Every structure is written in C-alpha cells, then in structure tokens.
Amino acid sequence: MTATLRLTEALISRPSVTPRDEGCQALIAERLQALGFACETLESGPADFRVTNLWARRGSGQHPTLVFAGHTDVVPTGPLDLWTSDPFVPAHRDGRLYGRGASDMKTSLAAMVVACEQFLAAQPDAPIDIAFLLTSDEEGPAVDGTVKVCEWLQARGERLDWCIVGEPTSVERTGDMIKNGRRGTMSGKLTVKGVQGHIAYPHLAKNPIHLLAPALAELAATTWDQGNAFFPPTSWQVSNIHGGTGASNVIPGAVVLDFNFRFCTESTPEGLQQRVAGLLARYGLQAGTDYDLAWTVGGLPFLTTPGTLVDAVRNAIRQETGIETELSTTGGTSDGRFIARVCPQVIELGPPNATIHKVDEHVALADIEPLTAIYRRTLENLAAPATGR
C-alpha cells in the first residue's frame, strides 16, 4: 500500500461531515510539521457550527509561494442502507477505493502531503515556499472557512503567488481536465405583489402570477452575454416558484420566484441586477410597489490565464501521464473564488468527479498515484530557476 493510499484511508476513516473536521487537519499538520512547516489552527463560527481551519507554511518568505488548498469536510452520507459498505470505513472493490470523501477531496489532500514529502526529500533547499490552506467549511455555508483565512492572511501581509485547489476536476483519468477559473454565482428572490381574491371575481383582485408571466418568459429567453474564450455565456435559471394558497378558487396575493445567475467575466453583478430591473420595468413592474427583489452574490468569477502556474501544471501532467490536459471553467463554485482575491494565479486539479456527493463515492486506485506524481512534478517545475516569478 502506497503512502498516499494509506493517508487517504486514514482521512476517510474520520467522519468529518461539515463543519466537523474530526482530526483530519491535526493528522495532516503532524505530517507537515515533520517537514518543517509552521502550522496554525484558526477556529471560526458559532459554538454550534464551529469551523476548523489550518494554515501551514514552510519557507522564509524570500521565495515565491505555492499554496495547496482544500477542505477536510465532506457532505452527509444520505441513507446508510443505500451504501454497499460503511462510508467511513475505506473499502476496496474492483480496483476502486470507496468511502465518503474518496473523490471529494481526501485523495487530493493525501496526494498533496505525500507530494511535498517526496519533493522536499529530494530538494530540501529548493527555492520555493510551500503552504497549505485547509478548511472544514467548504461543503457548508462557506462563511467561516477559506474566506476568513484569506482575510486574515491579507491583513498580516502574507504573499501568495500560486495556488492549487484539490477539487476533483478530472473526467475520465486524473489530469485530463483542470479548472483555470470558475463562474460567479448570484441568486435573486423576487416577490411579485398582487391582491388576493375570489377566482370568480378577478376584477376585484390582482393576480401576481399573471403579472410575472410575460417578464418571466423574457428572462428565460434573454442572452445575457456571449461568454469568451475561457467562459461559456452567462446563464439564468429558475430554481423555485411559489404562489397560491393551495385552494383552487383563490387568486394568490403574491408569487415568489427564486433564480440564479452563473456569470462569466463578461458580466458583473451590478450590470445583471440593472438589466433585470429594467426588464421588469418594461412590463410595468416597479420596485417596492409591485415587487421586492433580494440579491445574494455567492462569489465572483475568477480566471487564471495560461502563464507560470498553468504551464507548470500542464507540463507536469504531460510529463507524468502523457495527457494533454483540457482547461475548463465549467461546474459549480469552489473556494478558489476566495483565494483568487489574495493570490494572482489559482487553478484546481484533482481526480475524476463522477461520484462526488453520491452514494458509494469512490476513486479508482489507478488515479491516486498519478495525482501525487503530478503535484510533485508541479513543485519541481515551479522551483526550477527557468520559471522565474
């Protein structure tokens, strides 16, 4: 059994359902301290939802810094009787490692640690600083985790140059896809006001569903932007719509629409909000009088164009696997959106993601060692004098 597989299994064995860490970070910190990392634990959040964060750094600050980032928390298991084996007891079947977090993202965390051990054993004085930023609040609200650590690092003037987030980004084989950016996310809760009344007397009421319907059709059909070379066009989707009392003879007094933008760098939250307000106004709906609209910006888009980090990772994947990796910005959000505020180059790289959040989550054993090798080779590529800053 390899060092990465042993550490992955040890992490899976800890039932770290968000926001609990269950000792995962302490286990990792012990390994890092043996390599000369200075480790700091930062706790945040209310007593009933306490989040554990780890910041570990090795180096004098005189060299460029690569940060390995990720999360030790996992999503709930769902019904245990649907699992073939205990989700927190690592199991091997058909060349796969099963357990909650196997793909998202305890294999990545283990591979990062072992890659550092291998790299530093060969090059203890390499001209590169290495850091780890880990949280137990990525699968949860994500308000007391990475975002808090980034604010803390910024306040004390920590310099970060490159960051690899261990999210499971691959499709068929480890290394076939990396994320060099992510779309932003913004949600809206639109409440259109009407006047409740008897359905047989519509002249004595005002149906808010009828008021919303024409605008809703145009919202769904609108092209918000064309995207660009790195991002698909911004999308707008309805997630929930609620209206009515449950009775068939009552015109409702209000209808509530929940929707979400996944937006690229061609659009801004402010611009999208203005366009929605303008569209509603064209259909006679005025803010405050006819509707209320509450916005929540969950994260801004970020993009790392090909350069030092992307080239180092691409070359590492090619050198270790022969794969020509694909750059992508698709999928949901990640903590990369917070790290990008304090680090100019951020990418995500991890094992295949086909089973994340599912019952019987697993990772192919054949995908584990290549990930360790890619992380190690990326360190070597970044530390090579030719890469510069």
Side-chain angles (χ1 to χ4, degrees), residues 56-320:
R57 181 164 189 153
R58 184 187 189 275
S60 61
Q62 301 303 308
H63 302 299
T65 301
L66 171 66
V67 180
F68 286 111
H71 58 90
T72 54
D73 60 323
V74 297
V75 295
T77 61
L80 291 175
D81 59 351
L82 297 182
W83 284 74
T84 305
S85 55
D86 189 319
F88 296 113
V89 176
H92 292 221
R93 296 190 299 277
D94 302 320
R96 303 183 182 100
L97 171 65
Y98 286 80
R100 176 57 88 220
S103 180
D104 189 13
M105 55 178 289
K106 291 182 174 180
T107 294
S108 295
L109 299 180
M112 290 170 171
V113 172
V114 174
C116 287
E117 291 173 338
Q118 294 174 351
F119 172 73
L120 292 171
Q123 300 187 53
D125 300 317
I128 185 172
D129 290 356
I130 309 172
F132 277 72
L133 195 171
L134 307 180
T135 183
S136 67
D137 184 33
E138 196 275 346
E139 300 290 8
V143 297
D144 287 297
T146 298
V147 63
K148 293 290 188 183
V149 180
C150 288
E151 291 170 355
W152 174 75
L153 292 173
Q154 190 171 34
R156 76 179 198 178
E158 290 272 2
R159 188 188 71 194
L160 312 179
D161 296 274
W162 311 298
C163 179
I164 298 175
V165 185
E167 289 293 340
T169 60
S170 301
V171 181
E172 299 293 337
R173 294 174 54 198
T174 289
D176 62 7
M177 178 179 288
I178 65 175
K179 304 291 184 179
N180 65 316
R182 293 278 191 167
R183 296 174 295 175
T185 176
M186 179 171 66
S187 297
K189 181 177 286 291
L190 173 65
T191 302
V192 177
K193 306 171 186 178
V195 177
Q196 183 173 316
H198 196 292
I199 209 160
Y201 300 92
H203 59 290
L204 300 178
K206 184 166 68 172
N207 195 319
I209 298 176
H210 294 188
L211 295 175
L212 173 63
L216 177 58
E218 184 171 340
L219 285 166
T222 295
T223 298
W224 302 95
D225 58 47
Q226 299 297 326
N228 55 37
F230 295 101
F231 286 96
T234 291
S235 67
W236 183 88
Q237 291 291 317
V238 174
S239 56
N240 292 284
I241 184 167
H242 303 282
T245 64
S248 62
N249 61 350
V250 178
I251 293 173
V255 61
V256 180
L257 184 78
D258 295 311
F259 61 85
N260 178 267
F261 280 105
R262 292 300 166 108
F263 61 99
C264 71
T265 50
E266 297 297 308
S267 293
T268 65
E270 297 78 13
L272 294 171
Q273 291 175 19
Q274 291 170 5
R275 290 181 65 183
V276 170
L279 188 154
L280 294 174
R282 290 201 301 275
Y283 288 94
L285 298 172
Q286 299 300 318
T289 304
D290 302 300
Y291 73 87
D292 295 321
L293 178 51
W295 294 99
T296 302
V297 179
L300 299 176
F302 73 90
L303 177 67
T304 299
T305 55
T308 304
L309 179 60
V310 170
D311 292 348
V313 173
R314 272 178 152 172
N315 288 336
I317 293 170
R318 185 184 306 113
Q319 291 161 334
E320 294 297 332

Side-chain angles (χ1 to χ4, degrees), residues 41-58:
T41 296
L42 299 89
E43 293 189 346
S44 184
D48 61 345
F49 204 89
R50 202 67 174 159
V51 172
T52 305
N53 303 300
L54 174 68
W55 171 252
R57 181 164 189 153
R58 184 187 189 275

